[in-house]
Amino acid sequence: MSDASAPIDVNADLTLTIDSEPIAIESYTDTVLVDFPSVRALARVVRTERGRLQSLDRVLAETDLTVAVLVDGIAVGTLGARARPQSERLPVEVDAVGTLRAAVAAPLRFFS
């Protein structure tokens, strides 16, 4: 068995529920779309799982997978093979314009 992981494609169409918040996960290629219902739901998951992001990013890069993070259909970040993070501490490429659009599109869901 080789030390390097082979690139893979993911086929998925599922909903994960965390704290009664439905998170849609869909993929038919090497890009996995993870769509959170609100900025608040995304922030909650990032807050609790932040310590695992480096490991997740490493596995995604090794398998040539990318996770596109969306909030209610609006792209807010990228993690993995095609991400270009702005910081060593947070391995996520943040789309500032998308994040602002997502926060403005549903302000009550963000602040509630």
Side-chain angles (χ1 to χ4, degrees):
M1 191 161 138
S2 170
D3 287 334
S5 299
I8 60 175
D9 282 345
V10 175
N11 289 305
D13 186 4
L14 59 106
T15 300
L16 174 68
T17 303
I18 299 177
D19 294 332
S20 301
E21 298 270 11
I23 300 165
I25 301 170
E26 183 177 333
S27 178
Y28 302 100
T29 64
D30 61 349
T31 301
V32 179
L33 305 174
V34 180
D35 196 353
F36 290 83
S38 66
V39 174
R40 182 184 58 156
L42 172 59
R44 190 176 324 139
V45 169
V46 169
R47 201 171 27 253
T48 59
E49 302 301 325
R50 186 176 191 144
R52 298 178 193 204
L53 288 177
Q54 292 284 357
S55 297
L56 177 59
D57 181 61
R58 187 171 45 258
V59 169
L60 290 169
E62 288 173 359
T63 55
D64 199 30
L65 289 172
T66 301
V67 170
V69 180
L70 302 108
V71 172
D72 200 23
I74 300 169
V76 297
T78 307
L79 181 69
R82 290 191 302 276
R84 300 296 171 252
Q86 290 87 1
S87 164
E88 292 283 323
R89 292 179 32 198
L90 186 64
V92 177
E93 179 180 346
V94 176
D95 181 334
V97 173
T99 302
L100 181 60
R101 284 182 55 221
V104 169
L108 295 178
R109 285 186 282 176
F110 178 69
F111 293 109
S112 60

